[in-house]
Amino acid sequence: MSSDQLKVAIVGSTGYGGVELIRFLQHHPQVEIASVISASSSGKPMSDQFPHLNGLLDMELDGVNPTETAQKADLVFLATPSGVSGELAPQYLEAGLKVIDLSGDYRLKDATVYEQWYKHTAPQADVLAEAVYGLCERKGASVAGQRLISNPGCYPTATLLGLLPGVDAGWVDTNTIIIDAKSGVSGAGRGTSLTSHYAEMNENFKAYKINKHQHIPEIEQVLGEVAGKSVTVTFTTHLVPMTRGIMSTMYMTATGNHSEQDWIDLYRDYYKNRPFVRVRSKGQWPSTKEVAGSNYCDIGFALDERTGRMTIVSVIDNLVKGAAGQAIQNLNLMMGWDENLGLNMIPVYP
Amino acid sequence: MSSDQLKVAIVGSTGYGGVELIRFLQHHPQVEIASVISASSSGKPMSDQFPHLNGLLDMELDGVNPTETAQKADLVFLATPSGVSGELAPQYLEAGLKVIDLSGDYRLKDATVYEQWYKHTAPQADVLAEAVYGLCERKGASVAGQRLISNPGCYPTATLLGLLPGVDAGWVDTNTIIIDAKSGVSGAGRGTSLTSHYAEMNENFKAYKINKHQHIPEIEQVLGEVAGKSVTVTFTTHLVPMTRGIMSTMYMTATGNHSEQDWIDLYRDYYKNRPFVRVRSKGQWPSTKEVAGSNYCDIGFALDERTGRMTIVSVIDNLVKGAAGQAIQNLNLMMGWDENLGLNMIPVYP
Amino acid sequence: MSSDQLKVAIVGSTGYGGVELIRFLQHHPQVEIASVISASSSGKPMSDQFPHLNGLLDMELDGVNPTETAQKADLVFLATPSGVSGELAPQYLEAGLKVIDLSGDYRLKDATVYEQWYKHTAPQADVLAEAVYGLCERKGASVAGQRLISNPGCYPTATLLGLLPGVDAGWVDTNTIIIDAKSGVSGAGRGTSLTSHYAEMNENFKAYKINKHQHIPEIEQVLGEVAGKSVTVTFTTHLVPMTRGIMSTMYMTATGNHSEQDWIDLYRDYYKNRPFVRVRSKGQWPSTKEVAGSNYCDIGFALDERTGRMTIVSVIDNLVKGAAGQAIQNLNLMMGWDENLGLNMIPVYP
Amino acid sequence: MSSDQLKVAIVGSTGYGGVELIRFLQHHPQVEIASVISASSSGKPMSDQFPHLNGLLDMELDGVNPTETAQKADLVFLATPSGVSGELAPQYLEAGLKVIDLSGDYRLKDATVYEQWYKHTAPQADVLAEAVYGLCERKGASVAGQRLISNPGCYPTATLLGLLPGVDAGWVDTNTIIIDAKSGVSGAGRGTSLTSHYAEMNENFKAYKINKHQHIPEIEQVLGEVAGKSVTVTFTTHLVPMTRGIMSTMYMTATGNHSEQDWIDLYRDYYKNRPFVRVRSKGQWPSTKEVAGSNYCDIGFALDERTGRMTIVSVIDNLVKGAAGQAIQNLNLMMGWDENLGLNMIPVYP
C-alpha cells in the first residue's frame, strides 16, 4: 500500500458493523486498515473471531487506547454500542483522530430526548454539538473537513431516504406518516440472545418495540428539520427470518394531486447526483435481496387512488447502507473523495 | 371407523390446502376421508405426490365426478383455485353434497366487485346468494345446517379477527385503517413460479400487489357490514422468507379515550366463547411461530399516546386458521359439533 | 380428565425437549400433566417462557423437589442435560417415581467409556445397571414394568434404526461403517451460543465435533450387541440451517449378494409390527420435512453396484423420534399401552 | 473503459451462473462486458430479469449469433446448460472467439462415459479433444493461450481440491473414497421445479441422485489421472435449505502413518502459490458461510486414530469457485494475468 493512504482504525471490530467495515475497507483504494480494536478480545488474532478473514486480515486485535491508536491512524470508526461510543468519541478526538461513530449516541441533538429514548446519560454537550448527522444523500459534500460524523441508524436511513423528497416538496401530510419497518436479524448484533436464537427466529416473524424504538426520535428530528415543523410518526419494527435487509413500508396521505409518475420524477430529480439511491419505475417495488451486500437504497411507489394515500417502499442492506457502507460513504465525503470509492459493489444475487 | 362418521371428499388434494385438510381430518373423531380428488393426478396414489403420507393415507386420487363422489361422501371441501371452485360448487351441490369452498369465488356478494378484482366471471347468482361467508368467530353456530360455506381468505381472517371487536364497538375511525400484511411463501400454493423459487425468495423480503390484492374487497365487505357504512382500507401484502404464517400489523386512529387495557378487555369479551382467538396481555405481541401448525389467532395491542393511533398485531398460520383449519371449524359448526373437534392441536414450537 | 389417568411430571420443561413432551402429552388420552418443573424458572407461569402455550397449559413451574413431585405424579420425564439427569434420576426413583431420562447419562453401560466421552463422572453404578436403553423398535414390549428408561439420543436413533436390520442379518461388513449425520439447529437446545446465533447459522452449513461426538459410543454399544462383536464407526456431525430434522447418510460395504429390493424386504420385515418406521420403495429416499413434527423414522436405500457399497438414508425429527416422541413411545411400552397412543400425528407438511 | 480491455460476451446471462459472472466482471480491471446474451429473452433489458442490476448494467440482451458477437467481443463465456454448450462452443470458436464453457459438456474426455451419465450425445470429437479441463489449482499457468476451457463442476471443484494433494502424495487408499456432498439450492439453477419450490425445500434436507450424479465421472477422471490408475468413488449429493454453498465431507483410509499436522503441511505446500485455497489449522473445519460470495475454497482435516480414516471437509461458494469465479480465474490464467484479478473479494459474512 502506498504511504499516502489514509490510515484508519476500527473500534468494535468483532461485531457485525466492524467486520463489514473491514470487508469494504480492504477494497478501498485510498484506505489502509492500521488497527482493529476490541475491548474484550485484545491480543487475539482477528481470524479467531472470524475465520472467513483467514489470510485476508491477519492482524491481532488491539485494545482501546486512543493515544496508541493516534500513532498508527488518522481516523477511527466507532462500531461500538450506544453508551460506549458516547464515552470513546471525545477520547479519540482528544488524541487527534477524526471519528465516524456508527452508534446512536451522537444522532439526537436534544440530550433530553436522547436520555428518554436511550435510557442512559447523553454524551458531553460540546462534542454532541459538533457532531454532524451524516445522512449522505442529505448532507453530501458539506461534511468535508468535519471531525466527528454521526452515522445514521439503519431504520432511519431506509425510512428517511424514502420520505425526504416527498416531505421536502410538501407533498406529504406530515401528520399521517406511518412506518412499518422490517429488519433481518443481523440488526440485533453478534451478542447472543433468545430473540436471535436460531430455533426461535427461524420460520418466525415478529413485531417488537412497537412505538418504543430509539430510532423514532432520530426519524422525527430529520423530518422536522425538513418540514420546518414538528413531525410525529407511528413506527413499528419487525424481525424477519433472514440475516440482512431492511424494508420500510411507509404510508401517508398525499397532498396536491400528483401522479405516481410525478412522485417517481420528483425522487429521481432529488437523487440525481447521488450514486446509491435507485428509484424504481412505475409498478415496480424493490425487495431486500436486490440490494443485499451493497450500499444501494432502492425505492418504489404505489399511489392508492381510492384513499389518496401514498405507499412508499424503501429497502437497504442494514449492515451496508444502514451501517458500514454509509460510514465509508461519509469517510469519502469527509475526505473530499468520490462518494462511491470502495463502495460500488454490485448486490449479491441470489 | 364407525359407520356414523361423516364421509368427506377433498377436491384439490394435491395442493397445500388439500394436504393440510388431510392432516387435520385424519385426527377428527367424527369424520372419515372417503375420497381425495385431483383433476390432474387422478388414478395416482396420493403418497406419490406427498411421500410424508406413506402408510397414513394410501388412497388413490379420484377424478372430478360429482355423481360418483356423491355415492361415497356427504360433504366436499373444494381446495381448488378461484375460477375452478365457482364452477364446481354448483355441480357438487346438485349432486346432493354439502360444500365448503376454500377459494375466493363465493366470498364477495357483489358480482361486479368480484369480477373487478378477480378478473374472471362471477359464479352463478343463486348459488352465490346462498353461500355463507364462514368467518367462524363472527358467524358461529348460525352456519349450522347450511349447504354452502365460503371459507374466508387467509389475509382477511388475520385482519378481520384483529379489527372486528374494535370496529363493532365504534372505537375505530374507519377512515384511517391501514393494514400492513406479511405472509409465508406457502400462501402462493404448490404451483411453481419465480416468486416461490427458493433461491429468489430465501433471504429476501418483498412487497407485492400493493393496493391490488383481491382480499381487499373481502375485508372491506365485512368491515362495512359491521360498521354499517362503507369502509375503504389501505392494504399492502409482503412475502416473508418462511413457509407458514401471516401477520397483519394494523394501524388506525382510535376514537374515544380507551386505554390499552380497555382494548384488551373489549377483545377478550368479544371472543370469550371462541376457542381459537387468544388475546395477549399488555405489552405482549404475538409472533407467527407461536401459532404455527395450529388453528389459533393471537392478537396484541400497542396504543401510541403520542399520536392517538392504535396498532394491532394479529397472527395466524395461513394454512390452518387461514385455510384448512377454519374450513374444518366451519364443518364442525355446520354439523352442530363442538367447534374445536379435531382442531385442538398445540402449536409446533420451535 | 379421568382419575385413572397416569399423572406425569416433566423436569426441564423450559427446554425444547420439555416443551415438545408437553405438545404430545396434552393429546395423550391416558396421561395428565401434573407438574412442569424447572430449576431456574420455578414459580413463573410456563406461558411466560413459551407464549404459544397461552390458554393451553397455564400452570406455574414447580421447582426440583422429588418428594413433592411424588405427591402429584407417578412418573417423571427428565428433559435435563447430561450431568444433571445422572444426579436427579436416583432421587426421583427413591421418591417412588418411575423415570424416563432423555439425557445421555444412562445410555452407556460402561462408566469408563461414559467418562471419556462426556467428561464428567458417571452416575451411580446400581442405578446405571438398572436403566434400560429404550430404543423402542429394538426393545419393544420388553420394557413393560421397568422403573428407569434411558431414552436414546437423536443421532443414535436415526442411525441405529437405519443400521440394525442389516447388521443383525449379517449383510454389513461392520468394519466399514461410515455415518455422515446432519441435524437441525434445535438439537443444540435453547441455551444461547454463537453457534446457534441466527446470523451465524442462517445460510450456513457446518461440520462439528468430527470423530468426537458423545453419541459415537452409544451407536457402537448397540451395534456391538447386535453384531456380537466390537464395532467401531466413523461418525461426522453437521449443522443444517433449519430448526428440526436429522438425516443420517450411512455408507458400508455390503456382504452377500443382495439386491436393493432384498434390503427393502429385509427392513420391512424387521419393522413389520413397528408403527413408526417406514421403509421407502426402490429409488426413493426420504427428506427430513417428510417426518417433521412426527414420530416417524423413514429409511431409503441405494446400492452402488460399481463399488459394492450400500448407502442408507434415515431421517427423523430430532425433537420427536429423537427425543420427546420416543420418550412417550417408551412410556406407552412401559405401561403396556398401545405403542402409538398420543403419537400418531401426521407430519406437518409443508 | 480503456480500449485495451478485453471484450467479453456472456451467453446464458439470465441464469445464476451468468449473473454471477456479471457481478465479478463488472469489477474486473481488464475486462469490459460487451454483450449479454440470452436465447429466450433477446431484446429485453437485462434489468427486467434482474432488478438488482438497475443502473449497474443497463444493456439489452442480445440473441445467440456467433458472427455478430465476434464483432463485439474477443471471448465468450457459455453459462448454458449441458447439451446447449456442446452445440454452441464450436460455433463461437469458428467465429473466432475464445470460449470458456461452464457446462459439463467438455469435461469428460471419453464420449461414451459422457453419454452414459448425461443421457445425450457428446460434442464433436475434435472440439472435445481441444478442450482443457480448467481446474485452476491443477492446471495453473498451463492454460495460457488456450482457445477452449471447460470450467469444472461445482461438486468436483470442492471435492477435487480436497482430495488432490492427498491422492497425489499417495497418502490415500483410492479404493476407499466416499464423498458426502451437500449443496445450496441455487445449484439447481433458475428454472422452477418442485424441488426448488420454496415451501418444499425450506426447513428441509434431502438426498438426491445417489450414485447417479453426472459429476461422478468428472471426479473419477481427474483422480484417475492423478493416481495413475482407475479410481471409483461413492458419491452422494444432498440439498441444504440455503441459497449458496457446497460442502464435501470426504472419507478415506489413510495410508502411511501421517499425523493431522502432516496432512495440513502437505496441503499448504501443494497450494502455496494458489491464492484461493485456504487450509485450516488443526481442529478447525470451515463452514460454507465462511467462503460465501467469494472465490475461496477452505479445507480442514480430522484424522480418526481409532479407524485410521481421514475425514476431509472442503467448502466453496457453488456460484463462485464452483462456477463464475473459477471461470474468471481461468480467464486470468488464459490471458496471462494475475490469477486473482477481479476476484479478491472478501467473503460476505454474516
Side-chain angles (χ1 to χ4, degrees):
Chain A
M1 306 200 185
S2 80
S3 61
D4 59 350
Q5 285 187 299
L6 186 79
K7 310 271 190 306
V8 305
I10 301 167
V11 188
S13 287
T14 60
Y16 292 146
V19 80
E20 191 73 348
L21 280 167
I22 290 167
R23 181 166 76 92
F24 282 96
L25 290 172
Q26 283 288 71
H27 295 295
H28 196 294
Q30 300 288 346
V31 171
E32 178 187 340
I33 299 175
S35 172
V36 288
I37 296 169
S38 162
S40 57
S41 302
S42 149
K44 296 182 189 161
M46 184 66 189
S47 57
D48 272 13
Q49 307 282 323
F50 288 105
H52 75 283
L53 291 176
N54 261 307
L56 302 175
L57 188 96
D58 287 324
M59 307 168 82
E60 274 186 21
L61 287 154
D62 292 324
V64 174
N65 187 326
T67 316
E68 278 186 19
T69 302
Q71 313 288 321
K72 301 182 181 178
D74 308 303
L75 181 146
V76 67
F77 291 95
L78 300 181
T80 37
S82 285
V84 176
S85 284
E87 293 186 13
L88 292 183
Q91 299 174 32
Y92 283 102
L93 289 170
E94 177 78 16
L97 290 145
K98 288 173 181 276
V99 174
I100 298 177
D101 176 31
L102 281 74
S103 87
D105 283 355
Y106 291 94
R107 295 180 195 150
L108 300 179
K109 288 304 178 188
D110 182 330
T112 312
V113 173
Y114 175 87
E115 292 177 357
Q116 175 191 340
W117 289 86
Y118 280 83
K119 316 293 183 198
H120 42 236
T121 310
Q124 64 183 73
D126 57 334
V127 182
L128 180 55
E130 181 184 353
V132 176
Y133 182 78
L135 184 63
C136 302
E137 283 70 20
R138 182 152 188 259
K139 287 289 161 54
S142 76
V143 306
Q146 294 294 329
R147 280 208 319 167
L148 172 58
I149 302 282
S150 174
N151 204 54
C154 50
Y155 286 123
T157 296
T159 299
L160 291 169
L161 292 178
L163 289 174
L164 283 189
V167 170
D168 193 45
W171 293 13
V172 173
D173 176 349
T174 55
N175 291 320
T176 65
I177 299 172
I178 293 173
I179 302 151
D180 191 281
K182 302 90 175 170
S183 175
V185 184
S186 65
R190 209 184 197 204
T192 64
S193 72
L194 201 52
T195 298
S196 304
H197 195 55
Y198 186 90
E200 301 284 320
M201 197 53 227
N202 181 42
E203 189 70 6
N204 199 2
F205 186 86
K206 71 186 302 179
Y208 71 104
K209 282 195 186 180
I210 304 182
N211 298 323
K212 304 287 183 211
H213 199 286
Q214 68 277 10
H215 286 170
I216 292 175
E218 183 179 339
I219 292 167
E220 293 179 345
Q221 173 178 285
V222 178
L223 290 181
E225 291 169 14
V226 173
K229 60 181 174 186
S230 172
V231 175
T232 306
V233 301
T234 287
F235 181 73
T236 302
T237 43
H238 304 80
L239 285 179
V240 185
M242 61 185 188
T243 301
R244 288 169 178 251
I246 279 181
M247 181 183 283
S248 276
T249 312
M250 297 172 279
Y251 303 93
M252 66 214 72
T253 298
T255 59
N257 199 14
H258 309 286
S259 70
E260 237 171 57
Q261 189 59 49
D262 292 338
W263 283 76
I264 292 168
D265 294 342
L266 176 74
Y267 276 60
R268 286 187 173 160
D269 186 59
Y270 189 97
Y271 292 124
K272 67 174 175 288
N273 297 315
R274 309 262 64 101
F276 294 117
V277 178
R278 301 188 296 188
V279 179
R280 290 294 169 89
S281 298
K282 195 164 153 56
Q284 295 177 353
W285 307 296
S287 70
T288 61
K289 199 183 196 75
E290 291 165 4
V291 297
S294 84
N295 200 47
Y296 293 95
C297 173
D298 284 13
I299 301 173
F301 301 88
L303 181 61
D304 188 2
E305 296 179 358
R306 305 185 324 137
T307 60
R309 285 195 195 104
M310 173 55 78
T311 304
I312 302 179
V313 174
S314 173
V315 300
I316 60 168
D317 182 321
N318 58 306
L319 295 179
V320 189
K321 184 62 181 168
Q326 185 157 235
I328 295 169
Q329 195 180 351
N330 271 311
L331 169 69
N332 291 339
L333 292 166
M334 284 170 84
M335 303 301 294
W337 298 333
D338 268 1
E339 191 168 350
N340 61 7
L341 227 51
L343 284 174
N344 57 352
M345 289 193 194
I346 293 182
V348 179
Y349 194 97
Chain B
M1 304 198 183
S2 82
S3 59
D4 60 349
Q5 285 186 301
L6 185 79
K7 309 273 191 301
V8 306
I10 301 166
V11 189
S13 287
T14 58
Y16 292 145
V19 80
E20 191 73 349
L21 280 167
I22 290 169
R23 181 165 76 93
F24 283 95
L25 290 172
Q26 283 288 70
H27 295 295
H28 196 294
Q30 301 289 344
V31 170
E32 178 188 339
I33 298 175
S35 173
V36 286
I37 295 169
S38 163
S40 57
S41 303
S42 152
K44 296 182 189 160
M46 184 66 189
S47 57
D48 273 13
Q49 306 283 324
F50 288 105
H52 75 282
L53 292 176
N54 262 307
L56 301 175
L57 187 96
D58 287 323
M59 308 168 80
E60 273 185 19
L61 287 155
D62 291 325
V64 174
N65 186 325
T67 316
E68 278 185 21
T69 302
Q71 312 288 321
K72 299 181 180 177
D74 307 306
L75 181 145
V76 67
F77 291 95
L78 299 181
T80 37
S82 285
V84 175
S85 284
E87 292 185 14
L88 292 181
Q91 300 174 32
Y92 283 102
L93 289 170
E94 178 76 17
L97 290 145
K98 287 173 181 276
V99 174
I100 298 176
D101 176 32
L102 281 74
S103 87
D105 283 355
Y106 292 95
R107 294 180 195 149
L108 300 180
K109 287 306 177 186
D110 183 331
T112 311
V113 173
Y114 175 87
E115 292 176 358
Q116 176 190 340
W117 290 85
Y118 281 84
K119 316 292 183 201
H120 43 235
T121 311
Q124 62 181 79
D126 58 334
V127 182
L128 179 55
E130 182 183 352
V132 177
Y133 182 78
L135 184 63
C136 301
E137 283 69 20
R138 181 151 189 259
K139 285 292 159 55
S142 76
V143 306
Q146 294 293 329
R147 281 208 316 167
L148 172 58
I149 302 282
S150 174
N151 204 55
C154 51
Y155 285 122
T157 296
T159 300
L160 291 168
L161 292 177
L163 289 174
L164 283 188
V167 170
D168 193 43
W171 294 14
V172 173
D173 176 348
T174 55
N175 292 319
T176 65
I177 300 173
I178 293 173
I179 302 152
D180 190 282
K182 302 92 175 171
S183 175
V185 184
S186 65
R190 209 185 197 205
T192 62
S193 72
L194 200 54
T195 298
S196 303
H197 195 56
Y198 187 88
E200 301 285 319
M201 198 54 228
N202 181 43
E203 190 69 7
N204 199 359
F205 185 85
K206 70 187 301 179
Y208 71 105
K209 283 194 186 182
I210 304 182
N211 297 324
K212 303 290 183 209
H213 199 286
Q214 69 277 11
H215 286 171
I216 292 174
E218 184 179 340
I219 292 166
E220 293 179 346
Q221 173 178 284
V222 178
L223 290 181
E225 290 169 15
V226 173
K229 60 179 176 189
S230 172
V231 175
T232 305
V233 301
T234 288
F235 181 74
T236 301
T237 43
H238 304 78
L239 285 178
V240 186
M242 63 185 185
T243 301
R244 290 168 177 251
I246 280 180
M247 179 182 286
S248 277
T249 312
M250 295 170 281
Y251 304 92
M252 67 213 73
T253 298
T255 60
N257 199 13
H258 310 285
S259 71
E260 237 171 56
Q261 189 59 49
D262 292 338
W263 282 76
I264 292 168
D265 293 342
L266 176 74
Y267 275 60
R268 286 187 173 159
D269 186 58
Y270 189 96
Y271 292 123
K272 68 172 173 290
N273 297 316
R274 310 261 64 102
F276 294 117
V277 178
R278 303 188 295 189
V279 179
R280 291 295 169 86
S281 297
K282 194 166 151 54
Q284 294 178 355
W285 307 294
S287 70
T288 62
K289 200 184 195 74
E290 291 164 5
V291 297
S294 84
N295 201 47
Y296 293 96
C297 174
D298 285 12
I299 300 172
F301 301 88
L303 182 61
D304 187 1
E305 296 179 357
R306 305 188 320 139
T307 61
R309 288 198 194 101
M310 171 56 78
T311 303
I312 303 180
V313 174
S314 174
V315 298
I316 60 169
D317 183 320
N318 58 306
L319 294 179
V320 189
K321 184 61 179 168
Q326 185 157 237
I328 295 170
Q329 196 179 350
N330 271 310
L331 169 71
N332 290 339
L333 292 166
M334 282 170 86
M335 303 300 295
W337 297 333
D338 269 2
E339 191 169 348
N340 62 7
L341 227 52
L343 284 174
N344 58 353
M345 289 191 195
I346 293 181
V348 179
Y349 194 98
Chain C
M1 305 202 187
S2 82
S3 61
D4 59 350
Q5 286 186 301
L6 186 79
K7 310 273 192 302
V8 306
I10 301 166
V11 188
S13 287
T14 59
Y16 291 145
V19 81
E20 191 72 349
L21 281 166
I22 290 169
R23 180 166 77 92
F24 282 96
L25 290 172
Q26 283 288 70
H27 295 296
H28 196 293
Q30 301 289 343
V31 170
E32 178 187 339
I33 299 175
S35 172
V36 287
I37 296 169
S38 162
S40 57
S41 303
S42 152
K44 297 182 188 157
M46 184 66 190
S47 56
D48 273 14
Q49 307 283 323
F50 288 105
H52 75 283
L53 291 176
N54 261 305
L56 302 175
L57 187 97
D58 287 324
M59 308 167 80
E60 273 185 19
L61 287 156
D62 292 324
V64 173
N65 186 325
T67 316
E68 278 185 21
T69 301
Q71 313 287 319
K72 301 181 180 179
D74 308 304
L75 180 144
V76 67
F77 291 94
L78 299 180
T80 35
S82 286
V84 175
S85 283
E87 292 185 14
L88 292 182
Q91 300 174 32
Y92 283 102
L93 288 170
E94 178 78 16
L97 291 144
K98 286 172 181 278
V99 174
I100 298 176
D101 176 33
L102 281 74
S103 87
D105 283 354
Y106 291 95
R107 295 181 194 148
L108 300 180
K109 288 306 178 186
D110 182 331
T112 311
V113 173
Y114 175 87
E115 294 178 356
Q116 175 191 341
W117 290 85
Y118 282 83
K119 316 289 184 202
H120 42 234
T121 310
Q124 64 183 75
D126 58 334
V127 182
L128 179 56
E130 183 184 351
V132 176
Y133 182 78
L135 183 63
C136 301
E137 284 69 20
R138 183 153 188 257
K139 285 292 161 54
S142 76
V143 306
Q146 294 293 330
R147 282 206 317 166
L148 173 58
I149 302 283
S150 174
N151 204 54
C154 51
Y155 286 122
T157 296
T159 300
L160 291 168
L161 292 178
L163 289 175
L164 283 189
V167 170
D168 193 42
W171 293 15
V172 173
D173 176 349
T174 55
N175 292 321
T176 64
I177 300 172
I178 293 172
I179 301 152
D180 191 281
K182 301 91 175 174
S183 176
V185 183
S186 65
R190 208 184 197 204
T192 63
S193 72
L194 200 54
T195 298
S196 303
H197 195 54
Y198 186 87
E200 301 284 319
M201 197 55 227
N202 180 44
E203 190 70 5
N204 198 0
F205 185 87
K206 72 186 300 179
Y208 70 106
K209 281 196 187 180
I210 304 181
N211 297 324
K212 303 289 183 209
H213 199 287
Q214 69 276 12
H215 286 171
I216 292 174
E218 185 179 341
I219 292 166
E220 292 178 344
Q221 173 178 286
V222 178
L223 290 181
E225 290 169 16
V226 173
K229 61 181 173 186
S230 173
V231 175
T232 305
V233 301
T234 288
F235 182 74
T236 301
T237 43
H238 305 79
L239 285 178
V240 185
M242 62 184 187
T243 301
R244 287 167 179 253
I246 281 180
M247 180 182 285
S248 278
T249 311
M250 296 171 278
Y251 303 92
M252 66 214 72
T253 298
T255 59
N257 199 13
H258 309 285
S259 70
E260 240 172 54
Q261 190 58 50
D262 291 338
W263 282 77
I264 291 169
D265 294 342
L266 176 75
Y267 276 61
R268 286 188 172 157
D269 186 60
Y270 189 97
Y271 292 123
K272 68 173 173 287
N273 297 315
R274 310 263 63 103
F276 293 117
V277 178
R278 302 189 296 188
V279 179
R280 291 294 169 87
S281 297
K282 193 165 154 53
Q284 296 177 353
W285 308 296
S287 70
T288 62
K289 200 183 195 75
E290 291 166 2
V291 297
S294 84
N295 202 46
Y296 294 96
C297 174
D298 285 11
I299 301 171
F301 301 88
L303 182 60
D304 187 1
E305 295 179 359
R306 305 187 322 139
T307 60
R309 285 194 195 105
M310 170 57 77
T311 304
I312 301 179
V313 174
S314 173
V315 299
I316 60 170
D317 182 321
N318 58 306
L319 295 178
V320 190
K321 184 61 182 169
Q326 185 156 239
I328 295 170
Q329 195 179 352
N330 271 311
L331 169 70
N332 290 340
L333 291 167
M334 283 169 84
M335 303 300 294
W337 298 335
D338 268 0
E339 191 169 348
N340 62 6
L341 227 52
L343 284 175
N344 57 352
M345 290 192 193
I346 292 181
V348 179
Y349 193 97
Chain D
M1 304 198 186
S2 79
S3 60
D4 60 347
Q5 285 186 301
L6 186 78
K7 311 272 191 302
V8 306
I10 301 167
V11 188
S13 285
T14 60
Y16 291 145
V19 81
E20 192 72 349
L21 281 167
I22 290 168
R23 181 166 77 91
F24 282 95
L25 290 173
Q26 283 287 72
H27 295 297
H28 195 295
Q30 301 289 344
V31 171
E32 178 187 340
I33 298 176
S35 172
V36 288
I37 296 170
S38 162
S40 57
S41 302
S42 152
K44 297 182 188 159
M46 185 65 191
S47 57
D48 274 12
Q49 307 283 322
F50 288 104
H52 75 282
L53 291 177
N54 261 306
L56 301 175
L57 186 96
D58 286 325
M59 307 168 82
E60 274 186 20
L61 287 155
D62 291 324
V64 173
N65 186 324
T67 315
E68 278 184 21
T69 302
Q71 312 289 319
K72 301 182 181 180
D74 307 305
L75 180 146
V76 67
F77 291 95
L78 299 180
T80 38
S82 286
V84 175
S85 284
E87 291 184 15
L88 291 182
Q91 300 174 31
Y92 284 103
L93 288 171
E94 177 77 16
L97 291 144
K98 287 173 181 276
V99 174
I100 298 176
D101 176 33
L102 281 73
S103 86
D105 283 355
Y106 291 94
R107 294 178 196 150
L108 300 180
K109 287 304 177 187
D110 182 331
T112 311
V113 172
Y114 175 87
E115 293 178 357
Q116 175 190 340
W117 290 85
Y118 281 83
K119 316 291 185 201
H120 41 236
T121 309
Q124 62 184 77
D126 58 333
V127 182
L128 180 56
E130 182 183 352
V132 176
Y133 182 78
L135 184 63
C136 302
E137 283 71 19
R138 184 155 185 256
K139 286 290 159 56
S142 76
V143 306
Q146 294 294 328
R147 281 206 317 163
L148 171 58
I149 302 283
S150 174
N151 204 53
C154 50
Y155 286 122
T157 296
T159 300
L160 291 169
L161 293 178
L163 288 175
L164 283 189
V167 170
D168 192 43
W171 293 15
V172 173
D173 177 347
T174 55
N175 292 319
T176 64
I177 299 172
I178 292 173
I179 302 152
D180 191 282
K182 303 91 175 173
S183 175
V185 184
S186 64
R190 210 185 194 203
T192 63
S193 72
L194 201 54
T195 298
S196 303
H197 195 55
Y198 187 88
E200 301 283 321
M201 197 55 228
N202 180 41
E203 189 69 6
N204 198 1
F205 186 86
K206 71 186 303 179
Y208 71 105
K209 283 196 187 178
I210 305 182
N211 298 323
K212 304 288 183 210
H213 199 287
Q214 69 275 14
H215 286 170
I216 293 174
E218 184 179 339
I219 293 166
E220 293 178 345
Q221 173 178 285
V222 178
L223 291 181
E225 290 169 15
V226 174
K229 61 180 173 184
S230 173
V231 174
T232 305
V233 301
T234 288
F235 181 73
T236 301
T237 44
H238 305 79
L239 285 178
V240 184
M242 61 184 187
T243 301
R244 288 168 179 252
I246 281 180
M247 180 183 285
S248 278
T249 313
M250 296 171 278
Y251 304 93
M252 66 214 71
T253 298
T255 58
N257 199 13
H258 309 285
S259 71
E260 240 172 55
Q261 190 59 50
D262 292 338
W263 282 76
I264 292 168
D265 294 342
L266 176 73
Y267 276 60
R268 288 187 172 159
D269 185 60
Y270 189 97
Y271 292 123
K272 67 173 174 292
N273 296 315
R274 309 262 64 100
F276 293 116
V277 177
R278 303 188 294 188
V279 178
R280 292 294 169 87
S281 297
K282 195 165 152 52
Q284 295 177 354
W285 308 294
S287 70
T288 62
K289 201 183 196 76
E290 291 164 4
V291 296
S294 84
N295 201 46
Y296 294 96
C297 173
D298 284 12
I299 301 172
F301 301 88
L303 181 62
D304 189 0
E305 295 179 359
R306 304 187 322 137
T307 61
R309 285 195 196 105
M310 172 55 77
T311 303
I312 301 179
V313 174
S314 173
V315 300
I316 59 169
D317 183 321
N318 57 305
L319 295 179
V320 189
K321 183 61 180 168
Q326 184 157 238
I328 295 169
Q329 196 179 350
N330 271 310
L331 169 69
N332 291 339
L333 292 166
M334 281 170 85
M335 303 300 295
W337 298 334
D338 267 2
E339 190 168 351
N340 63 5
L341 225 53
L343 284 174
N344 58 351
M345 291 192 192
I346 292 181
V348 179
Y349 193 98

